[in-house]
Amino acid sequence: SCKLLQAVSEEEKIYHVTSAPMTGHQPRDFVVLVSQRQPCRPQEPYTVAVRSVTLRAVPPSPEFCRSEILCAGFQIHSSSSSSCTVCYFHQVTSGVMPYLAANLTGSSKSIEDTALECIKFLE
């Protein structure tokens, strides 16, 4: 799930994200700042960046294992008027590695789901 907690500005918002448990792991939650940046020039990419933040209004809950995203996001580079290239980046901590490993082995669809959500967001 993803719940908007605070609109810091038009380009920056803070969300509380919860994820289903992986086998043998407790469900995780994240409090993240999402920043969106329009390109200044046509050759520059559209950028969405994400990083964890601490918010007193959402303390860690015993129901979840609070996890951290150091730096993540994507850039959209326009190739032409009808196509683009999306570059996804993610710096991870050891607590997020089980989710990344599951994606790499094909046992999770979260990267595909994230890409689909990005497409919906951009539309």
Side-chain angles (χ1 to χ4, degrees):
S1 70
C2 183
K3 177 183 172 189
L4 175 64
L5 297 175
Q6 182 179 346
V8 179
S9 70
E10 192 173 310
E11 294 181 325
E12 296 184 337
K13 295 176 177 58
I14 299 175
Y15 295 91
H16 183 229
V17 179
T18 59
S19 64
M22 298 288 294
T23 304
H25 295 276
Q26 186 177 9
R28 297 189 182 276
D29 75 333
F30 305 83
V31 177
V32 294
L33 172 66
V34 178
S35 300
Q36 305 168 55
R37 297 290 185 265
Q38 296 281 344
C40 293
R41 293 181 219 116
Q43 68 272 20
E44 293 179 349
Y46 180 90
T47 303
V48 176
V50 180
R51 81 169 275 120
S52 286
V53 293
T54 302
L55 198 60
R56 275 189 248 193
V58 187
S61 161
E63 182 182 347
F64 296 98
C65 175
R66 178 64 49 93
S67 296
E68 180 180 17
I69 297 173
L70 298 176
C71 180
F74 58 94
Q75 291 187 322
I76 304 164
H77 300 266
S78 177
S79 304
S80 69
S81 62
S82 62
S83 68
C84 65
T85 301
V86 177
C87 299
Y88 180 76
F89 59 93
H90 197 132
Q91 181 181 6
V92 299
T93 60
S94 59
V96 179
M97 284 306 291
Y99 292 88
L100 183 61
N103 278 312
L104 294 175
T105 62
S107 59
S108 172
K109 289 182 45 171
S110 67
I111 287 179
E112 179 184 350
D113 293 343
T114 300
L116 292 172
E117 288 301 315
C118 290
I119 291 167
K120 282 176 28 183
F121 169 79
L122 293 170
E123 291 174 341

